[in-house]
């Protein structure tokens, strides 16, 4: 390859897709990015945007903002406006899906300028997609037109995965970004996110570059540099250290190749055992450059040149820990049914709680027996799973700041103090007692704009629990897979059909989306029943799982296992059938109570293995769950949302109890802001909505809503001011920071 054949250029996303179509060559693989890769990319983008949008100087002069580097890609040009991707397909296709979902949302908001900007990135001429992969066309057309794509037996892996990742992006966008921020996020994405294109001379040249990039040696990583540093200081123990290091790497090699496993493990071990809990900089440096952190903190770690034996001990500790950690690494990738009871490890990974690794390693000691380490880690994973469920049930965020606070602020300091399995159980039990149950707060919780993944998780766990309790085979991973099982609404979205019982469409929409009005149904069944009335489709539910099947009259006849399950758990008034004359409201209320009762059973602390101290023996919020902790656990009731409304409460721009109003089709809809920044609709009461966007979407009957623009406060004279204007005035007066 001649040097003059290779050229590179930086492209912003708006430049990358401007009047250019991309194709892929025959040697490229299918679109295979999974949940974790897409979640990481989107979360990184949203986090970087958040840092930018919190800086008033950069908002005033966006051109001064640092660019976000999304990596290199390799291509060759077939013609002036046609490029062939050699490397980078996964990122390009994911970006294309992101553009489609962003356009759907800004279109809902009537933002014609940004719709046009996104159109230019999505298509080359208004008709042909800029990512011209023919196999993807049917799925992209469905997304483009706002249709559901029904996956079939003949579909390729790429098609099935495209639809699943598109649905994931839609849900995660709603979770990560308020509708009020979508306009600026769209501009930031197109203008400030860049890739570097490396241009090959032609197809053959591109193929040779592809081979070089995928088959030849990689550069030294931080793990390699750390090993070199340790070897340079271990003196005569070089061979021993090298042997132990290689053994550690073998322990971390699981069922599939994962070149990043060693780096993640060492980072997690350093965070779990050595990072100072009150030093955020420790966490940042370990994450960015772990080998530099080890060098800079040599005295703190005891890794001094005059103590070569400490370097050998350090690696031996890593090796012993890797051996104990191996079952958890395997459990994070596949559901094991071998009696280890490590299911929560996989659930946490799927729910974006990968930092559980740090907490698990904080509980494990290199000298533990394998069975003891496994039991400790199982308890930690179960506690985190329970914490996640409680956050969801209270409609509180479960994003990076909350997870960081949970792991590094609460769990690591407490678990470092524990020596035995009993210590771990007691510490987690006390934290669980502080967390509480608070299920009554979920009395009306259900599907909202940003929580479909979370609601599916709750439904899947309840469905699997009942099936297992009735000694029926079940597959919780299938329930979690949106391509196999759909979230089924018991009532179709037609308020007029229920207007005699529920004349207010807002109440109908809220009630229909509650947990009690939902279930999991196989995709093919869901497609076949369409908008049938509940009592017509109830007999069809009878061939599904028990939680749906029980609705059909007579379902529990000749079913002794189900009757025993109902009797054992005192569910006779909840897990039952409904006759054709029973109305929507009591059915959903009954099934809401059923779900909450099941959640109480699934995440019961005693069932999970935590001792349950009596309330008078429990630590108070200013006391420690274990001797001499370095962090103070706080009661869940003090949890604060991170929305603009919550920030306005903190800045005393708003007060708890403030009434707000949204006018839709000439009708005023009122709501109240509670002490945590939640929004309680006057028409429905019950569980607060976490964001004004979600509350507004229910009122309007739309997927999304620019809540800060649509909701208003009203002063004593009757004058109305939007929450957005109120926020912007407070920022301008420096009474609160921009967000």
């Amino acid at each position: 390859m001649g040097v003059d054949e290779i050229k590179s250029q930086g492209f912003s996303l708006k430049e990358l897709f401007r009047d250019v179509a991309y194709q892929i060559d025959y040697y490229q693989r299918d679109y295979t990015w999974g949940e974790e890769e897409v979640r990481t990319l989107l979360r990184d983008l949203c986090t970087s945007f958040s840092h930018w949008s919190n800086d008033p100087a950069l908002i005033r002069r966006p051109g001064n903002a640092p660019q976000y580097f999304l990596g290199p890609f390799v291509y060759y040009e077939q013609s002036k406006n046609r490029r062939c991707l050699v490397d980078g397909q996964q990122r390009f296709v994911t970006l294309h899906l992101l553009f489609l979902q962003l356009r759907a949302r800004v279109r809902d908001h009537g933002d014609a300028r940004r719709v046009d900007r996104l159109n230019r990135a999505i298509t080359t001429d208004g008709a042909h997609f800029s990512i011209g992969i023919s196999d993807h066309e049917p799925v992209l057309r469905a997304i483009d037109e706002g249709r559901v794509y029904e996956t079939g037996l003949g579909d390729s892996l790429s098609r099935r995965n495209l639809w699943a990742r598109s649905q994931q992006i839609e849900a995660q966008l709603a979770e990560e970004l308020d509708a009020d921020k979508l306009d600026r996020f769209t501009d930031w994405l197109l203008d400030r996110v860049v890739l570097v294109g490396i241009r090959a001379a032609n197809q053959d040249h591109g193929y040779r570059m592809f081979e070089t990039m995928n088959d030849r040696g990689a550069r030294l990583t931080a793990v390699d540099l750390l090993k070199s540093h340790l070897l340079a200081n271990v003196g005569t123990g070089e061979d021993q250290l090298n042997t132990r290091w290689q053994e550690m790497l073998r322990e971390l090699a699981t069922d599939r190749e994962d070149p990043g496993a060693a780096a993640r493990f060492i980072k997690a071990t350093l965070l779990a055992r050595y990072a100072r809990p009150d030093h955020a900089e420790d966490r940042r440096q370990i994450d960015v450059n772990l080998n530099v952190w080890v060098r800079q903190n040599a005295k703190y770690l005891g890794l001094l040149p005059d103590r070569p034996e400490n370097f050998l001990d350090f690696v031996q500790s890593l090796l012993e820990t890797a051996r104990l950690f191996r079952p958890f690494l395997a459990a994070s990738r596949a559901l094991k049914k071998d009696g280890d009871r490590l299911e929560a490890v996989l659930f946490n990974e799927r729910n974006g709680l990968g930092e559980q690794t740090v907490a698990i390693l904080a509980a494990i000691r290199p000298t533990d027996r394998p069975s003891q380490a496994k039991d400790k880690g199982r308890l930690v994973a179960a506690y985190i799973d329970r914490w996640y469920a409680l956050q969801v049930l209270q409609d509180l965020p479960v994003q990076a700041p909350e997870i960081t606070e949970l792991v590094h602020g609460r769990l690591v300091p407490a678990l470092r103090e524990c020596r035995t399995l009993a210590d771990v159980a007691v510490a987690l039990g006390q934290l669980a007692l502080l967390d509480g149950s608070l299920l009554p707060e979920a009395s009306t919780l259900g599907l909202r704009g940003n929580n479909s993944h979370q609601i599916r998780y709750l439904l899947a766990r309840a469905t699997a629990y009942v099936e297992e309790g009735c000694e029926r085979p079940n597959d919780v991973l299938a329930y979690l897979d949106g391509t196999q099982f759909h979230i089924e609404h018991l009532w179709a979205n037609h308020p007029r059909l229920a207007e005699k019982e529920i004349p207010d469409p807002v109440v109908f929409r809220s009630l229909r989306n509650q947990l009690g009005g939902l279930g999991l149904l196989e995709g093919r069944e869901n497609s076949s029943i369409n908008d049938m009335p509940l009592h017509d489709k109830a007999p069809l539910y009878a061939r599904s799982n028990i939680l749906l099947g029980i609705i059909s009259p007579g379902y529990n006849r000749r079913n002794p296992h189900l009757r025993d399950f109902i009797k054992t758990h005192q569910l006779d008034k909840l897990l039952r059938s409904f006759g054709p004359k029973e109305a929507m409201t009591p059915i959903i209320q009954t099934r809401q109570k059923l779900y909450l009762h099941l959640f109480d059973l699934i995440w019961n602390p005693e069932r999970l293995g935590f001792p349950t101290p009596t309330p008078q023996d429990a630590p108070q919020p200013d006391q420690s769950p274990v001797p001499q902790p370095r962090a103070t656990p706080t009661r869940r009731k003090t949890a604060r949302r991170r929305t603009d409304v919550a920030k306005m409460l903190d800045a005393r721009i708003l007060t708890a109890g403030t009434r707000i109003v949204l006018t839709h089709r000439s009708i005023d809809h009122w709501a109240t802001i509670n002490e945590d920044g939640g929004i309680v609709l006057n028409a429905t009461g019950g569980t607060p909505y976490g964001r004004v966007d979600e509350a507004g979407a229910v009122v309007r009957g739309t997927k999304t809503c620019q809540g800060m623009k649509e909701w208003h406060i009203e002063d004593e004279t009757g004058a109305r001011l939007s929450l957005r204007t109120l926020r912007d005035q407070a920022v301008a007066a420096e009474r609160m920071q921009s967000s």
Side-chain angles (χ1 to χ4, degrees):
M1 302 182 199
V3 173
D4 59 336
E5 294 179 318
I6 301 174
K7 295 184 178 180
S8 64
Q9 179 183 352
F11 297 92
S12 67
L13 294 190
K14 70 177 178 185
E15 296 167 337
L16 196 64
F17 295 101
R18 181 185 295 155
D19 301 322
V20 178
Y22 292 87
Q23 294 180 319
I24 61 171
D25 250 327
Y26 65 91
Y27 48 80
Q28 288 269 26
R29 59 181 175 170
D30 287 336
Y31 177 61
T32 58
W33 264 19
E35 284 187 39
E36 186 58 33
E37 291 91 346
V38 171
R39 182 187 299 113
T40 299
L41 174 64
L42 194 50
R43 183 161 287 175
D44 285 349
L45 287 171
C46 291
T47 300
S48 296
F49 164 73
S50 178
H51 292 158
W52 170 81
S53 64
N54 285 330
D55 189 330
L58 296 181
I59 293 296
R60 289 193 296 271
R61 295 182 176 84
N64 293 341
Q67 294 176 319
Y68 180 87
F69 178 54
L70 201 54
F73 68 99
V74 181
Y75 70 100
Y76 63 88
E77 292 189 344
Q78 295 176 316
S79 61
K80 181 180 178 182
N81 296 318
R82 188 171 297 276
R83 296 170 182 160
C84 193
L85 281 173
V86 174
D87 185 74
Q89 177 204 171
Q90 308 297 316
R91 278 170 296 151
F92 271 59
V93 172
T94 304
L95 286 170
H96 203 228
L97 294 175
L98 175 57
F99 293 155
L100 285 164
Q101 291 296 346
L102 276 173
R103 187 180 64 179
R105 293 188 67 184
V106 297
R107 183 184 282 156
D108 284 346
H109 301 157
D111 191 339
R113 186 178 75 83
R114 290 183 176 89
V115 168
D116 181 64
R117 295 199 74 193
L118 288 164
N119 280 338
R120 294 172 185 272
I122 291 168
T123 68
T124 56
D125 55 5
H128 297 91
F129 292 116
S130 56
I131 307 293
I133 303 173
S134 57
D135 182 54
H136 296 185
E137 184 86 8
V139 184
L140 296 180
R141 286 291 168 207
I143 299 169
D144 182 48
E145 296 167 9
R147 295 184 285 107
V148 173
Y149 180 77
E150 298 291 349
T151 55
L153 294 176
D155 276 340
S156 64
L157 170 63
S158 286
R159 287 188 188 180
R160 295 196 300 272
N161 201 39
L162 273 171
W163 179 248
R165 300 289 73 78
S166 173
Q167 299 303 104
Q168 177 189 344
I169 290 170
E170 179 184 21
Q172 193 176 343
L173 263 182
E175 180 182 343
E176 299 277 355
L177 291 175
D178 291 340
D180 195 51
K181 296 182 174 67
L182 277 179
D183 52 356
R184 283 190 286 167
F185 177 75
T186 299
D187 290 338
W188 174 85
L189 183 72
L190 293 171
D191 296 335
R192 307 308 297 169
V193 176
V194 300
L195 289 91
V196 171
I198 303 172
R199 191 179 75 184
N202 51 47
Q203 183 177 21
D204 289 341
H205 187 197
Y207 181 60
R208 293 199 304 275
M209 291 179 67
F210 180 84
E211 285 186 312
T212 300
M213 297 176 68
N214 287 277
D215 292 340
R216 298 186 185 174
R219 295 185 305 169
L220 289 175
T221 65
V223 172
D224 297 323
L225 294 171
L226 174 61
K227 177 188 173 185
S228 297
H229 170 65
L230 298 174
L231 282 169
N233 288 276
V234 76
T236 58
E238 273 188 356
D239 288 343
Q240 282 181 287
L241 189 146
N242 185 62
T243 299
R244 294 176 186 181
W245 189 272
Q246 296 305 320
E247 288 181 19
M248 177 193 71
L249 296 182
R250 283 195 293 272
E251 290 294 337
L252 299 171
T254 53
D255 297 335
R256 61 182 174 87
E257 250 342 277
D258 183 0
R264 290 197 304 275
F265 167 75
I266 294 174
K267 283 181 183 179
T269 303
L270 293 174
L271 291 167
R273 297 204 179 132
Y274 303 108
R276 288 153 287 204
D278 53 345
H279 279 218
E281 186 62 18
D282 275 3
R283 296 199 298 271
R284 190 193 69 79
Q285 287 192 15
I286 289 171
D287 184 59
V288 172
N289 213 337
L290 63 91
N291 68 298
V292 173
W293 184 83
V294 170
R295 288 170 181 263
Q296 291 177 344
N297 291 274
K299 185 176 180 180
Y300 170 66
L301 297 171
L303 296 176
L304 301 173
D306 61 344
R307 299 296 298 273
E309 67 277 8
N310 287 3
F311 290 82
L312 197 59
D313 291 343
F314 181 78
V315 176
Q316 181 65 28
S317 176
L318 286 176
L319 170 58
E320 297 297 340
T321 303
R323 287 172 176 161
L324 297 173
F325 183 67
R326 182 181 175 87
F328 300 102
L329 188 57
S332 70
R333 294 173 173 173
L335 189 64
K336 304 293 183 181
K337 297 184 178 180
D338 53 6
D340 283 346
R341 295 183 297 158
L342 296 178
E343 298 90 348
V345 174
L346 180 61
F347 296 149
N348 291 337
E349 287 291 327
R350 293 178 65 100
N351 289 329
L353 303 167
E355 282 195 74
Q356 68 174 330
T357 298
V358 177
I360 290 171
L361 290 172
I364 293 174
R365 298 190 171 272
T367 55
D368 285 346
R369 299 186 307 277
S371 60
Q372 184 182 29
K374 198 176 293 183
D375 287 341
K376 284 181 175 181
R378 175 181 55 78
L379 289 175
V380 173
Y383 172 83
I384 293 174
D385 179 47
R386 183 178 188 271
W387 172 88
Y388 176 83
L390 289 177
Q391 290 283 115
V392 172
L393 287 166
Q394 294 172 79
D395 199 22
L396 291 171
V398 282
Q399 298 173 359
E402 289 75 36
I403 298 165
T404 297
E405 168 59 25
L406 170 71
V407 172
H408 299 284
R410 301 181 70 194
L411 289 176
V412 169
L415 293 170
R416 281 185 182 178
E417 303 290 337
C418 299
R419 298 293 183 272
T420 67
L421 175 62
D423 291 341
V424 172
V426 169
L428 295 175
Q430 291 180 336
L431 286 173
L433 187 66
L434 286 171
D435 290 339
S437 173
L438 305 178
L439 290 182
E441 293 194 6
S443 60
T444 61
L445 180 69
L447 268 177
R448 294 176 175 186
N450 67 339
N451 71 348
S452 59
H453 171 84
Q454 299 163 354
I455 293 300
R456 171 178 292 280
Y457 181 66
L458 295 178
L459 293 172
R461 292 298 302 276
T463 302
Y465 180 77
V466 175
E467 296 289 293
E468 185 176 334
C470 296
E471 300 185 25
R472 289 186 17 153
N474 68 91
D475 185 352
V476 68
L477 295 187
Y479 302 150
L480 290 169
D481 185 349
T483 63
Q484 295 189 57
F485 279 80
H486 295 174
I487 295 178
E488 160 75 352
H489 283 82
L490 302 187
W491 274 267
N493 191 19
H494 300 306
R496 58 183 175 77
L497 298 181
E499 61 186 359
K500 287 185 178 179
E501 178 194 352
I502 308 170
D504 188 338
V506 175
V507 176
F508 172 85
R509 285 191 289 269
S510 174
L511 191 63
R512 174 180 179 265
N513 281 311
Q514 285 181 27
L515 275 166
L518 307 173
L520 291 179
L521 186 63
E522 279 192 281
R524 287 174 295 180
E525 290 278 7
N526 183 266
S527 301
S528 68
I529 60 180
N530 293 319
D531 286 354
M532 291 172 62
L534 172 63
H535 297 296
D536 289 344
K537 61 186 176 182
L540 303 179
Y541 287 163
R543 58 196 186 199
S544 184
N545 56 74
I546 292 171
L547 272 178
L548 276 181
I550 192 67
I551 293 174
S552 180
Y555 181 85
N556 64 346
R557 293 174 191 160
R558 297 182 296 279
N559 196 334
H561 293 305
L562 174 56
R563 289 199 299 272
D564 289 345
F565 181 83
I566 291 172
K567 182 178 180 181
T568 299
H569 298 296
Q570 301 177 341
L571 293 168
D572 52 298
K573 294 182 180 179
L574 301 177
L575 189 57
R576 67 177 182 86
S577 303
F578 298 95
K581 294 184 179 180
E582 295 192 68
M584 179 180 181
T585 300
I587 291 176
I588 290 181
Q589 289 176 343
T590 299
R591 287 183 60 82
Q592 189 86 5
K593 292 177 183 176
L594 166 64
Y595 278 121
L596 297 184
H597 189 92
L598 291 173
F599 299 150
D600 207 28
L601 294 171
I602 293 168
W603 286 291
N604 180 282
E606 287 190 67
R607 177 177 179 267
L608 299 178
F610 308 139
T612 53
T614 57
Q616 59 266 29
D617 296 331
Q620 296 304 308
D622 58 348
Q623 292 179 324
S624 359
V626 292
Q628 304 300 318
R630 300 180 187 178
T632 301
T634 55
R635 290 190 185 275
R636 178 169 298 277
K637 285 294 289 182
T638 63
R640 172 66 79 188
R641 305 179 196 276
R642 291 182 290 105
T643 61
D644 281 340
V645 170
K647 292 174 183 176
M648 292 166 77
L649 283 176
D650 289 338
R652 300 186 180 179
I653 309 302
L654 296 171
T655 59
T658 297
R659 297 175 72 239
I660 56 177
V661 61
L662 183 153
T663 303
H664 180 57
R665 294 181 177 173
S666 303
I667 298 175
D668 286 345
H669 299 271
W670 290 88
T672 303
I673 300 172
N674 73 4
E675 67 276 8
D676 294 326
I679 312 300
V680 181
L681 294 178
N682 288 13
T684 64
T687 308
Y689 287 83
R691 297 181 181 184
V692 285
D693 296 352
E694 299 159 5
V698 171
V699 167
R700 291 164 51 90
T702 55
K703 266 191 172 184
T704 61
C705 170
Q706 288 185 297
M708 295 294 290
K709 175 184 176 183
E710 298 284 345
W711 287 100
H712 294 70
I713 61 167
E714 186 176 87
D715 64 20
E716 59 275 5
T717 69
R720 293 183 176 183
L721 190 69
S722 75
L723 293 179
R724 175 193 284 180
T725 301
L726 187 65
R727 178 202 62 195
D728 292 346
Q729 289 177 352
V731 171
E734 298 184 349
R735 295 181 62 192
M736 64 178 285
Q737 291 184 340
S738 62
S739 58

